[in-house]
Amino acid sequence: MEALFLLSLIAATSAAALHLARRRGVAVAPDALRAAALHMLECVGLTMVFFAANLVLGALLTLAVRALTPLFVSLYLSGDVSLLVLSSLQALVCQAWRGTRSGR
Amino acid sequence: MSVGRIRRALRLMGAATLALFAAVAFTPLANALHGRLAAHPQIGRADAIVVLGAGVSTTGTLSDSSLRRAVHGIELQRRALAPVLVLLGPSSWPVGEAPIRGTLARAMGVPQERIRLVTGGRTTREEAERTREALGPDVKRILLVTGAIHMTRARSLFERAGFTVLPAPVEDTSGGGISPEARLALALRMGEELLAQLYHRLAGYI
C-alpha cells in the first residue's frame, strides 16, 4: 500500500510537470524523453561510482588514522547516508560540466 | 576504453541500481534476507551475561539499540541465567555508555554486586578482548547479547577470545518493517554488517 501511494505521487507530479511544460510551449518529443531517461541512468551510475570511491577512500583513511595515530575513527562514519547524497551531487556536477563542455 | 563504452557501462550500472532500489524498497526481499542473516537464540545457563555496546548520545541518552540490548540483558539476568551481568560501552564524555546502563540495571532491580561494567572497547573485537581481561580465564560460557544481524561476527570474535558463546540476539533492526523506508534502512544495516564481516575476514580477525 505504501509503495503504491508513493509511486502514485511520483506519477502525478511527473504528469503535472509534463502538462505544465507543454502549456508553456516547451517541446517535449518522445525521443527527447528517451534521451533524458538514458542521461538519468548515466547520472545514477556515476553516483554509484563516486559513492564507491568515497566509501573505499573513507575506509582506507580511517584505517590509516587508526594505524598511524593514537586517534580512533569509526569505520561506520564512512557509511553515513549523507555520503550518498553528496555523491549524487558530485555526479550531477560532473554530468552538467560534461554537458557544458560538449555544448561549446 | 572509449567514451561510448564508458557511457554504456554507466547506464547499465544506473539501471542495476534502480532495479536494486525497487527490489529492496518495494518488495519483501530485505525482510527475507534479514530472516536468513539474523541469528537465532540459544538461551541457557552461563557464567556471565555480556551485553555489547551500541552508542550513547552526548546528552547521556542510550541509543535505541543500546537500550534494547541493555533491557534484554537485564531480563536474562532477572531470570537467574547467570551470576553476573556484564555491561559494555566505550568511554565517552561526559558519561560513558556502560555506567548509564549500570544505573538502568540497578533501577530495574539488578543488585549492584551482580553488575560488572567494562569500558573502553571501541570495536567489537576490543570488546571481546576487554571482556576476557575483565572476567579472567575462569569464565568460559557466556550469554552474548547484541543485535541479531551483528551476532554472527560478534560470536566469532568472542569465541576467538576463548569464550563458549550462547547467542541471545536482540531485534534492534526491525526485520518486520514493510514501509519502503524501513526496508531501505534494514538493507543498509545488513550491507554494513556484510562489509564489516568481509573486512574482518580479510584482516584475519575471524
Side-chain angles (χ1 to χ4, degrees):
Chain A
M1 181 58 87
E2 289 91 348
L4 197 58
F5 175 70
L6 292 170
L7 292 172
S8 301
L9 290 179
I10 299 303
T13 51
S14 298
L18 185 61
H19 176 68
L20 270 172
R22 284 192 171 140
R23 274 188 67 176
R24 286 173 182 266
V26 176
V28 188
D31 281 349
L33 190 58
R34 184 177 175 276
L38 289 174
H39 186 79
M40 179 269 293
L41 288 178
E42 276 179 41
C43 254
V44 172
L46 198 52
T47 298
M48 288 300 109
V49 170
F50 274 116
F51 184 57
N54 288 327
L55 262 183
V56 168
L57 183 62
L60 288 174
L61 279 175
T62 300
L63 294 172
V65 165
R66 284 191 194 178
L68 302 172
T69 75
L71 297 172
F72 177 81
V73 180
S74 171
L75 272 169
Y76 286 121
L77 199 61
S78 300
D80 196 289
V81 74
S82 62
L83 202 64
L84 187 58
V85 176
L86 293 170
S87 301
S88 69
L89 292 179
Q90 282 179 295
L92 284 172
V93 167
C94 192
Q95 285 289 75
W97 177 60
R98 261 189 354 101
T100 305
R101 279 169 59 87
S102 62
R104 283 185 195 166
Chain B
M1 204 185 231
S2 68
V3 172
R5 275 195 170 179
I6 293 173
R7 293 184 73 178
R8 209 172 2 244
L10 286 175
R11 287 171 192 171
L12 272 172
M13 212 180 308
T17 302
L18 289 182
L20 183 64
F21 167 77
V24 168
F26 302 120
T27 75
L29 176 66
N31 308 100
L33 275 173
H34 177 268
R36 298 194 72 158
L37 287 175
H40 299 289
Q42 284 177 243
I43 308 298
R45 293 200 179 279
D47 301 323
I49 297 163
V50 177
V51 183
L52 300 193
V56 62
S57 73
T58 52
T59 56
T61 309
L62 293 176
S63 69
D64 183 45
S65 185
S66 179
L67 182 60
R68 288 187 196 211
R69 293 179 188 186
V71 167
H72 188 50
I74 292 166
E75 183 196 12
L76 292 173
Q77 215 289 323
R78 292 184 62 168
R79 285 166 58 184
L81 290 170
V84 66
L85 174 65
V86 183
L87 300 168
L88 283 81
S91 309
S92 57
W93 185 87
V95 186
E97 183 178 359
I100 297 171
R101 288 167 142 194
T103 303
L104 175 67
R106 286 191 298 278
M108 290 180 71
V110 180
Q112 176 66 55
E113 59 272 18
R114 295 199 179 276
I115 299 170
R116 191 82 181 268
L117 304 182
V118 175
T119 60
R122 299 165 304 185
T123 64
T124 311
R125 194 165 62 94
E126 285 186 3
E127 285 184 314
E129 289 165 1
R130 285 178 185 263
T131 304
R132 173 47 78 199
E133 282 164 19
L135 297 182
D138 294 336
V139 173
K140 293 187 170 37
R141 192 174 163 94
I142 61 168
L143 268 164
L144 185 62
V145 180
T146 186
I149 299 172
H150 182 231
M151 181 61 77
T152 304
R153 180 165 54 100
R155 182 178 188 172
S156 298
L157 289 165
F158 273 77
E159 284 174 346
R160 270 223 172 179
F163 293 106
T164 299
V165 174
L166 298 178
V170 172
E171 195 67 67
D172 61 358
T173 306
S174 176
I178 58 171
S179 71
E181 183 181 8
R183 284 170 169 162
L184 285 168
L186 181 60
L188 191 65
R189 182 68 194 97
M190 288 191 293
E192 270 180 355
E193 185 53 37
L194 288 172
L195 280 175
Q197 284 184 19
L198 178 63
Y199 163 67
H200 277 69
R201 281 184 205 282
L202 290 173
Y205 299 146
I206 56 173

